[in-house]
Amino acid sequence: MATMHHWTGLEAKVLRLALRLSVRAFADHLGVGVRTVSKWEKLLASTEPRPDTQAILDTALARANAAVHLRFETFLSEAERTAGPGQGRRVIASGPLAWEYETWTDDLDRAVVALARQDFTFAENLIGRWTTRFKPVSLDEKGLYLFARSTALLGDLQRDQGAVIGPLSAQHSYSAARSLFTQLDIPRRVAQLDLSLAVVTEMSGRLEVAAHQYEHLAVDDRLSRRDRARARLWVGTALSKDGRHDYPTRVMTVATREFEDLSEPEDWSVAHQKIALAHRGAGDLASALHFIGIARSTASTDAPMQRVRLETAHGHVLLSDPATRDDGLHVLDEAAKLAGQFGLSHQLTSIEGIRAMSDGATGPRRR
C-alpha cells in the first residue's frame, strides 16, 4: 500500500480522484472546508496542507482499499510526468506498490504450478525476481508475508532438487521462512514449516528424530486435519525406513482412513504406496504387490516427482522377488531416466541405493 512522506495540493487532488469523490464530497470525507480543497486543486504542488490536515490525509489514504491505492499510485505517476519543472515529486514510500503485490502473488501461484511440474528453472526465476529485489526489513506486513511465502517455496524447490542441508538448502530456506512467519504471528504457517523441516530431517537420514517430530505434529492443532494425517503417514514412513514395519503399517493404515474421510484421493494413493514398501520391508511380498497395485491404479496426478516415487516403489517391490527381479530392474531404469530428465537428484540417489542393495544381495546385475 502507498504511504506519503509529505502532502501538497497535487497529491490531495490525486487522492480525491482515486476515491472518485467530488470536491464537496471529498471535503466532507476529510472534515475540511470546500474552499480548502478548492485551493489545493488550484495551486497543486505549490501549496501544502497544514500539519493537522497532513495527518488527516494520511489517515484517509491508509483507510482506503487496494483499488483506491492502485488508482492513487497510477494517477500520481501520470500527474508527475505531465507537471511542469519543479511541480511534481515522487513522495510514495520506496516499498512495493499495490499492483506489485498483486503481481508478486500471481508469480508465486505460478511458481507452485511450475514446482508441481518439476520445472525448477522457471519456478526459481519467478521466486528470485522478488527475493532479490526486496529485503525483509524494507517491507510492510503484506510484503513480509509474500517474502516468507517465497522463501518457503524456495525451500520446496531445493528439497525437490535434493539440496537438503547446507547454506543453500531446503533446511536453510525453511528455517528463514519459519522465522518470518513467527515474526508475523501466523501459527499455522509456522507449523507447516515445522512439518517441512521434519521432512528435511528424514531426507538427511535422521529417521528416529524425524519420526518423533512427525509424532508431535500429528496431534498439533495448528495444522489442518490433512496436514496432521500426512504427519501421521510420515511417522510410519520414517520408522519403516529405520527397519521397523509392524507399528508403522498400523499408523499408515490409520492415516489412509483419514485421507479417505477427507476425500483426498492423491494422499490416499500415496499412503498405499508407503504401506506397500512397509510390507516389502517386512518380507510380505504378496501384500506389498497388492498395495502397490492399488497405488498405481489410483494415482491421481501425472506430476513427474510422484511418477518417479511410485515407479521406484514398484520397482523396489518387484526387485525383492527373484522371480520378478529383472522386471524390477527395468522399472527402476525407467524411473531413473525420468528422474534424470527432471533433475530429481534425491530420487536418483534413492534408485541407485536400491540397485546397490539388490546387487549386494544377489550378485552383480546382469547387463
Side-chain angles (χ1 to χ4, degrees):
M1 295 298 181
T3 56
M4 299 296 301
H5 294 304
H6 191 75
W7 292 87
T8 71
L10 173 64
E11 293 81 39
K13 178 180 179 180
V14 170
L15 178 58
R16 177 181 69 79
L17 295 173
L19 288 166
R20 295 177 174 170
L21 297 174
S22 67
V23 170
R24 182 173 296 279
F26 186 55
D28 290 342
H29 181 71
L30 298 179
V32 301
V34 174
R35 288 185 178 180
T36 298
V37 175
S38 297
K39 176 185 175 183
W40 296 340
E41 303 259 332
K42 179 180 179 180
L43 299 178
L44 298 177
S46 61
T47 187
E48 299 178 359
R50 297 195 308 259
D52 58 332
T53 310
Q54 294 263 344
I56 291 172
L57 290 163
D58 285 340
T59 300
L61 179 59
R63 290 179 176 174
N65 61 33
V68 172
H69 278 259
L70 180 57
R71 290 195 295 269
F72 177 77
E73 293 160 5
T74 302
F75 295 163
L76 184 57
S77 179
E78 292 172 350
E80 291 176 343
R81 282 200 303 268
T82 58
Q87 293 301 302
R89 46 185 157 168
R90 191 70 174 165
V91 288
I92 296 176
S94 59
L97 307 180
W99 65 75
E100 290 181 302
Y101 281 153
E102 295 295 330
T103 304
W104 194 345
T105 301
D106 289 343
D107 279 351
L108 293 185
D109 291 341
R110 294 164 69 201
V112 169
V113 174
L115 283 175
R117 297 171 177 167
Q118 279 70 64
D119 188 350
F120 296 132
T121 300
F122 186 45
E124 188 170 14
N125 287 339
L126 289 169
I127 296 168
R129 69 175 57 169
W130 299 101
T131 55
T132 57
R133 181 176 176 185
F134 298 112
K135 300 295 183 184
V137 69
S138 69
L139 297 169
D140 59 14
E141 190 171 280
K142 171 70 172 178
L144 199 59
Y145 175 85
L146 291 172
F147 196 96
R149 188 179 167 211
S150 301
T151 308
L153 283 175
L154 179 61
D156 291 343
L157 185 153
Q158 292 164 327
R159 179 199 63 201
D160 288 352
Q161 289 184 307
V164 180
I165 58 175
L168 299 175
S169 69
Q171 183 183 54
H172 183 271
S173 295
Y174 285 148
S175 296
R178 187 187 187 281
S179 177
L180 293 173
F181 281 124
T182 300
Q183 180 181 334
L184 290 166
D185 192 23
I186 306 178
R188 181 177 65 89
R189 289 289 191 178
V190 173
Q192 287 174 336
L193 267 301
D194 287 336
L195 190 56
S196 294
L197 284 165
V199 172
V200 165
T201 301
E202 179 186 345
M203 291 177 69
S204 62
R206 298 163 60 205
L207 301 175
E208 184 75 29
V209 175
H212 284 305
Q213 292 173 340
Y214 289 143
E215 285 176 337
H216 288 297
L217 291 164
V219 292
D220 193 327
D221 288 338
R222 295 175 301 169
L223 291 171
S224 67
R225 188 181 169 192
R226 181 199 176 203
D227 280 338
R228 292 198 301 271
R230 293 169 76 199
R232 190 185 303 276
L233 175 67
W234 295 339
V235 169
T237 300
L239 292 177
S240 181
K241 289 179 181 178
D242 204 28
R244 286 173 276 178
H245 306 295
D246 183 41
Y247 173 67
T249 300
R250 298 203 306 270
V251 171
M252 289 190 282
T253 299
V254 172
T256 302
R257 295 193 190 109
E258 291 185 38
F259 292 135
E260 186 170 0
D261 290 343
L262 290 167
S263 298
E264 293 287 352
E266 182 177 342
D267 290 322
W268 186 86
S269 178
V270 169
H272 281 79
Q273 171 190 320
K274 304 295 187 184
I275 292 173
L277 289 174
H279 281 297
R280 187 216 66 82
D284 185 355
L285 297 184
S287 294
L289 284 169
H290 169 71
F291 284 104
I292 199 65
I294 293 174
R296 296 182 73 225
S297 64
T298 60
S300 57
T301 177
D302 200 37
M305 175 73 77
Q306 185 50 29
R307 284 164 54 200
V308 170
R309 287 172 174 166
L310 183 56
E311 291 310 297
T312 299
H314 183 213
H316 199 177
V317 171
L318 293 174
L319 207 59
S320 301
D321 186 342
T324 57
R325 183 171 186 268
D326 287 343
D327 291 335
L329 290 172
H330 174 71
V331 171
L332 288 178
D333 283 343
E334 294 303 309
K337 288 178 185 177
L338 187 60
Q341 178 183 346
F342 287 94
L344 305 176
S345 61
H346 184 78
Q347 277 63 44
L348 276 172
T349 300
S350 177
I351 292 168
E352 288 304 318
I354 293 169
R355 285 172 170 162
M357 287 191 341
S358 172
D359 287 345
T362 61
R365 175 186 174 187
R366 294 194 303 272
R367 295 288 179 180

